[in-house]
Amino acid sequence: MTPKWIFFDLDDTLFDFTASSFISLCRLWDESPTIRARFDNPDSFIEEYHIHNKLMWQLHESGQITADFLKPERFRLTVFPDLHDDVSLKESRRLNDRYLWILGECDNPVEGARELLDRLSGKHLIGVLTNGFTEVQYRKLRATGLDRYIQRMVISDEIGIQKPDPRIFRYAEQETGATPETTIMIGDNPDNDIRGAINAGWHAIYLDRKNKPFASDSTLYLGRLNSLQDIRNII
């Protein structure tokens, strides 16, 4: 097919979130005496953080907690597991704000992202459809310079709806005039990006950078790729 709109996920599809988060958390450990007092090395801090961050995101995506609760709570559970007072909460908010600031300054596009967007931008309209926090998502795009290729950003935090909910795909259509028949979603998350897009009637391409299995017999599923460079074989 020849798509009019191509929507990309952001984290670990266009922006190398995994590498950038690691860099940001290492820097946070290095800067914070409070974190270093609990963790002897950044690896142990990062491992513990990911346990709580994953749980918080699961609760957020199921609607059980808000984003405002998630952000400091993941650091409170990591650094102050036995405390829940004003001091620990204030420091957890500070750590979260610092982490997101560092993360938003990382110039780490996924390999091939700039070249692919440069090739596609003259032929197609390009959007980003992402679950994430509004301000930091915009800052990631600006830091990488990828923002110049993007006609529209749709961010879950701005509208209160997250992928894979079909309503976020409908919202993207309403905001851009995109139609399911001429729109492709490209992303690295089999559930949020690929199943979500297919269930909304969009075509989908799975960017499998982490060897997560996915299979679909839907005619809307256009294929599985290991790198952005390979997308030229489909689009």
Side-chain angles (χ1 to χ4, degrees):
M1 65 171 294
T2 302
K4 179 178 180 181
W5 273 95
I6 302 174
F7 279 88
F8 289 86
D9 174 52
L10 182 57
D11 290 331
D12 285 326
T13 299
L14 293 178
F15 176 80
D16 195 333
F17 177 83
T18 298
S20 300
S21 179
F22 179 79
I23 291 168
S24 302
L25 290 168
C26 284
R27 186 167 164 188
L28 199 63
W29 179 88
D30 188 58
E31 291 180 353
S32 172
T34 304
I35 296 175
R36 294 199 309 275
R38 176 166 170 76
F39 298 97
D40 293 336
N41 56 75
D43 289 340
S44 59
F45 162 59
I46 292 169
E47 181 180 1
E48 185 75 10
Y49 166 83
H50 281 310
I51 292 171
H52 300 298
N53 183 59
K54 181 178 180 180
L55 173 61
M56 290 297 100
W57 272 103
Q58 288 172 342
L59 293 173
H60 179 48
E61 290 174 349
S62 64
Q64 297 181 61
I65 63 172
T66 65
D68 286 342
F69 180 82
L70 177 158
K71 288 185 277 189
E73 185 67 3
R74 56 189 175 177
F75 284 100
R76 189 195 68 78
L77 290 170
T78 301
V79 183
F80 309 102
D82 301 319
L83 298 176
H84 205 310
D85 54 19
D86 290 343
V87 174
S88 61
L89 182 57
K90 182 178 180 181
E91 178 63 7
S92 297
R93 286 173 176 155
R94 188 194 70 78
L95 291 173
N96 174 77
D97 291 346
R98 182 59 178 157
Y99 165 69
L100 292 181
W101 176 262
I102 299 169
L103 185 65
E105 294 296 296
C106 290
D107 179 8
N108 286 323
V110 168
E111 184 178 0
R114 289 192 179 107
E115 294 79 4
L116 176 65
L117 293 182
D118 191 59
R119 181 173 69 83
L120 295 177
S121 61
K123 304 174 184 177
H124 312 279
L125 297 171
I126 299 173
V128 167
L129 183 56
T130 175
N131 289 351
F133 305 130
T134 301
E135 181 182 353
V136 73
Q137 298 301 75
Y138 280 110
R139 289 178 56 238
K140 290 172 188 174
L141 270 187
R142 289 195 295 269
T144 59
L146 299 180
D147 56 325
R148 67 180 182 272
Y149 298 108
I150 307 302
Q151 275 74 50
R152 186 67 167 85
M153 282 267 282
V154 176
I155 305 174
S156 64
D157 190 40
E158 286 187 313
I159 63 174
I161 305 169
Q162 298 193 75
K163 295 177 294 183
D165 191 321
R167 292 178 297 165
I168 196 170
F169 296 90
R170 298 285 87 86
Y171 179 88
E173 293 168 6
Q174 294 166 10
E175 289 295 300
T176 63
T179 61
E181 298 80 12
T182 59
T183 302
I184 291 177
M185 178 75 202
I186 300 173
D188 72 302
N189 189 300
D191 295 313
N192 290 346
D193 299 322
I194 308 308
R195 287 193 181 93
I198 290 171
N199 289 341
W202 290 19
H203 294 81
I205 297 173
Y206 177 33
L207 177 62
D208 183 14
R209 299 178 65 232
K210 297 182 179 179
N211 295 314
K212 296 180 181 178
F214 176 79
S216 175
D217 57 5
S218 171
T219 58
L220 298 174
Y221 181 51
L222 301 182
R224 169 182 171 274
L225 305 169
N226 296 117
S227 71
L228 288 175
Q229 293 93 325
D230 296 335
I231 290 175
R232 67 177 65 242
N233 298 325
I234 296 178
I235 300 175

